Amino acid sequence: MSDLSNRSSDDRRRREAVCIDTSRIYDACSSRDCAENLRVTFDENSQDIIDDAEIIKCRDCDIAAVSIDLDETPFNRGYFNVDISFYFKLRFDTYTSPMAMPRTVKGYAVFNKRCILYGSEGSVKTFTSTLNTCGSDRPEAPQYTNPTVKVQALDPVVLDTDVVRRCNCHICCCTSFPDSIRNAVGGARFTDDGEKAVLVTLGIFSIIQMTRDVQIMIPSYDFCVPDRECDCSDQSPCSAFGNIDFPTDEFFPPDRDNLNCSCRDRD
């Protein structure tokens, strides 16, 4: 009888509904972009190295910063134009001759894209209290319940690198960079006056989500209580290394037939 009563109390606790304040995803999309012939911008010292190089190879590329601009779509209530600017940092190995030691330079490129997502409507002002133990409470500025955009992206794949004479480059290179990138180059001045221009083609995978703060009811099961104690034992480096499984798969990569993948025919 006691087991039955305990089971029924557990069921009631699991069926309890609680109200939470959280962000709900109203719309989302995945994107596969091929950004062709992006002009790479260098600072003055790096541009001089590019001009003297006979061979230029792209070593790697990563996303340095992302800017997001959000505007309501005219005549389409609840929808928003999302303008996204990806700022890429690229590293190049430059060679003055095939047998020379490479010199590495950094450059930056920009890719802009736009998508339209549904973010619903609402312009409620939200005020949040804060605890101030050092004085009297101060008035809080309102926060508007406009939707927000979240961008998730992988570092791009470098598909192609091309070097052309500046006089043959018809790509606009008048790029303004955010302060985070200008600070990363130590205040060096970007230039587009070099003899050579570097163009890259990048493959970019991203997921774009539009969220809005809402209050929703969800089933509650229990508090998230840790189910194990922290392992604070001090081990010697060799003892810790001995507890690691031998990485057999790293030495014997799987055959193509053993890979679970779906491959589409290329056009």
Side-chain angles (χ1 to χ4, degrees):
M1 187 65 178
S2 61
D3 293 340
L4 182 60
S5 62
N6 291 336
R7 190 181 303 114
S8 61
S9 63
D10 291 341
D11 292 340
R12 283 195 301 270
R13 186 172 67 251
R14 292 191 180 96
R15 288 197 299 268
E16 179 185 3
V18 297
C19 183
I20 65 171
D21 188 356
T22 187
S23 295
R24 174 187 170 184
I25 299 175
Y26 274 79
D27 201 359
C29 64
S30 61
S31 181
R32 179 202 302 259
D33 295 298
C34 183
E36 295 185 87
N37 295 329
L38 298 181
R39 173 73 182 269
V40 182
T41 303
F42 300 93
D43 60 43
E44 293 176 329
N45 294 332
S46 298
Q47 184 64 54
D48 291 339
I49 297 176
I50 291 293
D51 292 340
D52 294 336
E54 294 295 330
I55 302 173
I56 300 174
K57 298 180 179 180
C58 186
R59 174 184 293 187
D60 53 36
C61 175
D62 58 72
I63 300 175
V66 175
S67 65
I68 305 171
D69 190 23
L70 191 66
D71 292 310
E72 294 185 7
T73 303
F75 312 111
N76 203 351
R77 295 178 58 182
Y79 285 85
F80 293 81
N81 294 323
V82 182
D83 294 302
I84 305 171
S85 296
F86 292 93
Y87 297 91
F88 305 108
K89 180 179 71 173
L90 304 102
R91 291 194 302 167
F92 297 89
D93 288 333
T94 64
Y95 302 80
T96 54
S97 66
M99 302 301 294
M101 293 295 294
R103 299 181 66 181
T104 302
V105 297
K106 291 187 297 184
Y108 294 87
V110 181
F111 173 65
N112 301 309
K113 68 170 299 174
R114 165 175 283 196
C115 60
I116 299 177
L117 294 177
Y118 178 74
S120 189
E121 296 178 297
S123 57
V124 176
K125 296 180 181 180
T126 303
F127 301 86
T128 305
S129 64
T130 56
L131 179 62
N132 186 0
T133 60
C134 300
S136 59
D137 292 335
R138 293 176 295 178
E140 295 292 334
Q143 296 179 350
Y144 295 90
T145 58
N146 292 324
T148 58
V149 176
K150 179 180 180 181
V151 177
Q152 304 177 65
L154 297 174
D155 284 334
V157 180
V158 181
L159 302 176
D160 188 29
T161 304
D162 193 14
V163 181
V164 298
R165 292 291 175 181
R166 188 171 64 89
C167 57
N168 297 328
C169 178
H170 303 291
I171 307 298
C172 178
C173 50
C174 304
T175 303
S176 60
F177 294 98
D179 291 339
S180 59
I181 291 180
R182 293 187 178 276
N183 294 335
V185 297
R189 191 173 74 89
F190 290 108
T191 182
D192 57 359
D193 295 333
E195 297 179 1
K196 297 179 181 178
V198 179
L199 307 179
V200 294
T201 298
L202 305 178
I204 311 159
F205 294 97
S206 62
I207 293 177
I208 305 165
Q209 299 171 334
M210 180 164 287
T211 64
R212 182 185 287 273
D213 290 342
V214 295
Q215 294 78 41
I216 59 176
M217 297 285 288
I218 64 169
S220 173
Y221 292 90
D222 209 339
F223 291 104
C224 300
V225 180
D227 57 0
R228 68 180 184 87
E229 295 184 0
C230 296
D231 184 9
C232 301
S233 60
D234 295 331
Q235 292 184 340
S236 66
C238 290
S239 298
F241 179 73
N243 294 329
I244 301 176
D245 295 334
F246 191 86
T248 305
D249 292 341
E250 299 295 329
F251 289 89
F252 303 96
D255 295 331
R256 180 178 59 184
D257 296 337
N258 295 332
L259 294 176
N260 294 325
C261 66
S262 59
C263 303
R264 297 181 298 177
D265 295 335
R266 295 183 178 177
D267 295 335

